[in-house]
Amino acid sequence: SKEVEKIIKQLSFGHLISLQMISSGICGSDDHVLKGKLPMKFPLIPGHEGAGIVESVGDGVSTVKPGDKVLTLILPQCKNCDSCLHPEGNFCDKQDVLPCSGVMLDGTCRFSCRGKKVYHSFRVSTFTEYTVVPEIAVVKIDDAAPMDKVCLISCGVPTGYGAVVNSAKVTPGSTCVVFGLGGVGSAIVMACKASGASRIIGVDINEKKFLRAKALGVTDCLNPNKLKKPVHEVVMEMTGVGADFAFEAVGLVDTMIAAWNSCNNSYGVCLIAGLAPSDAQLPLDAVRILSGKTLKGVCLGDYKTRDCLPKIVTDYLQDKINIDPLVTHQLPFNQLHKALKLYHAGKTIRCVLLF
Ligand code: APR
Ligand code: ZN
């Protein structure tokens, strides 16, 4: 029966794939991992924004075969849990972000070093020449995909793009404010522009980000550290009524509150795409919620990842979306530490590691 089939599916943890990594981006979430902001088990192999080629497949794997080009998925799609079965859900039960177990679905680690266990990050560790991932955490993409760039479509691009088009549903002529102009924030800006927003206010404490952000569509730039008032007050003054849409792509409580306070009290929509530190609380003025504005969280742009990410790759190949401006640096994997230095110096939007 269907019920038995479902139980068997849930139990079939075999379904593992080994991948040869071709490229991996360095995402803000990897930095959260390295800084210990998420409760994860160490030692681990970081990285999740990856593109690779299937090297071999284990028992029961049917959706990919050796030689296929694939993306790794920090948010898997099991197609079987409540969230996957719900038309509006994408936060698959089998994800390993909140919380992070650091192990495969069957409880095992597939990495070791001198006999010692090495943990997985989000079940998709990508800062490694070869990795092992569950079938539900990879998706096959177009054979023509340029592998030195499409790793961004594994996380940063859909996270930002989907926050705008799926979750906020930004409307033509609207005013948007974007907190954080890194990889995710830049994808948000691109999507706001593509959705016809007439004003896009970019907020970042690193002014090196402003030039690229303007090229992508930001109309006004604000550095909160250089303002005489709180940034949300400045946004209120600039817009008169507050932003229609506010996006948080930093991962800090302060910027989440600033984004919330920057949007219109009556019809504003505030989207949180940043990953806050694991023990953080978000204190909001309870009485002000009544005025009607919306607070929403969004993970991986609300995309059901295996269903939707290949289409973004195809859109990129057909020039419907351009991810090239987000790839500011590319370095061989053996220069990982140099890449992290560039990231920490705030010089990159995305640095792609090449294997
Ligand atoms: N106010 C405004 N901007 C800030 C602040 C701040 N207090 N602190 C940092 N920033 C800026 C950084 O200067 C950088 O430009 O936020 C940006 C973050 O960008 P990245 O480091 O490239 O991170 P990204 O990959 O874009 O991820 C952003 O989204 O999915 C989540 O986990 C991810 O929380 C992370 C967030
Ligand atoms: Zn990411």
Side-chain angles (χ1 to χ4, degrees):
S1 75
K2 272 224 164 110
E3 206 48 37
V4 171
E5 245 174 59
K6 195 174 159 185
I7 291 165
I8 290 172
K9 252 193 182 171
Q10 280 170 348
L11 290 174
S12 46
F13 292 152
H15 298 250
L16 289 176
I17 291 165
S18 78
L19 292 183
Q20 181 189 5
M21 295 313 302
I22 304 295
S23 65
S24 179
I26 297 177
C27 169
S29 309
D30 300 318
D31 187 50
H32 296 334
V33 171
L34 296 173
K35 288 193 172 135
K37 288 190 184 173
L38 301 169
M40 293 175 84
K41 289 182 191 138
F42 288 84
L44 57 72
I45 296 181
H48 60 278
E49 193 176 77
I53 291 177
V54 175
E55 190 259 347
S56 62
V57 301
D59 285 349
V61 171
S62 62
T63 60
V64 293
K65 58 180 188 314
D68 281 352
K69 288 182 175 179
V70 296
L71 297 179
T72 55
L73 306 171
I74 186 172
L75 194 57
Q77 186 188 353
C78 76
K79 305 194 180 187
N80 217 21
C81 70
D82 167 62
S83 176
C84 283
L85 291 172
H86 192 283
E88 303 294 323
N90 81 329
F91 201 72
C92 175
D93 262 6
K94 299 281 195 296
Q95 55 79 30
D96 200 41
V97 184
L98 302 171
C100 325
S101 70
V103 294
M104 287 288 128
L105 288 158
D106 63 1
T108 61
C109 277
R110 299 288 157 157
F111 303 125
S112 66
C113 182
R114 295 186 195 107
K116 214 183 151 207
K117 242 188 219 182
V118 174
Y119 289 97
H120 299 253
S121 66
F122 317 126
R123 290 198 187 107
V124 286
S125 300
T126 59
F127 294 175
T128 164
E129 283 100 338
Y130 287 88
T131 192
V132 177
V133 291
E135 180 177 18
I136 58 170
V138 295
V139 65
K140 179 177 156 45
I141 54 170
D142 196 306
D143 285 329
M147 295 296 275
D148 62 334
K149 288 188 184 141
V150 287
C151 56
L152 267 59
I153 297 175
S154 141
C155 177
V157 167
T159 295
Y161 224 86
V164 174
V165 303
N166 296 333
S167 205
K169 299 186 167 65
V170 165
T171 45
S174 59
T175 295
C176 301
V177 54
V178 184
F179 288 79
L181 299 171
V184 173
S186 298
I188 290 173
V189 168
M190 284 168 63
C192 288
K193 167 124 180 163
S195 301
S198 55
R199 195 168 189 193
I200 306 171
I201 303 168
V203 182
D204 203 297
I205 53 172
N206 176 359
E207 294 187 12
K208 287 201 277 284
K209 307 273 168 149
F210 290 169
L211 198 65
R212 289 195 192 107
K214 282 186 174 160
L216 293 176
V218 164
T219 54
D220 314 73
C221 291
L222 297 175
N223 176 353
N225 290 343
K226 292 226 176 126
L227 302 171
K228 296 203 173 69
K229 310 174 181 175
V231 60
H232 72 268
E233 285 182 21
V234 175
V235 174
M236 278 295 169
E237 279 172 15
M238 286 168 75
T239 55
V241 292
D244 297 295
F245 302 97
F247 297 89
E248 200 276 352
V250 181
L252 293 173
V253 170
D254 283 354
T255 40
M256 291 176 187
I257 295 173
W260 170 247
N261 288 331
S262 296
C263 51
N264 181 278
N265 268 329
S266 169
Y267 49 78
V269 181
C270 176
L271 267 293
I272 308 291
L275 182 58
S278 56
D279 53 355
Q281 299 287 311
L282 189 60
L284 296 174
D285 209 348
V287 76
R288 304 255 319 260
I289 198 89
L290 195 76
S291 61
K293 61 180 176 175
T294 306
L295 180 65
K296 270 183 159 185
V298 55
C299 188
L300 236 133
D302 240 357
Y303 289 107
K304 286 183 185 289
T305 50
R306 284 205 285 161
D307 289 346
C308 302
L309 268 43
K311 164 85 164 49
I312 302 180
V313 173
T314 312
D315 284 351
Y316 170 52
L317 291 170
Q318 295 175 353
D319 290 328
K320 291 180 190 159
I321 170 173
N322 185 11
I323 67 168
D324 296 350
L326 306 183
V327 183
T328 54
H329 297 74
Q330 289 176 311
L331 283 175
F333 179 53
N334 63 14
Q335 291 187 39
L336 171 63
H337 290 271
K338 183 177 171 190
L340 286 170
K341 260 191 201 146
L342 283 168
Y343 171 82
H344 286 128
K347 291 186 176 157
T348 62
I349 296 297
R350 272 292 193 267
C351 179
V352 171
L353 301 164
L354 300 171
F355 292 86

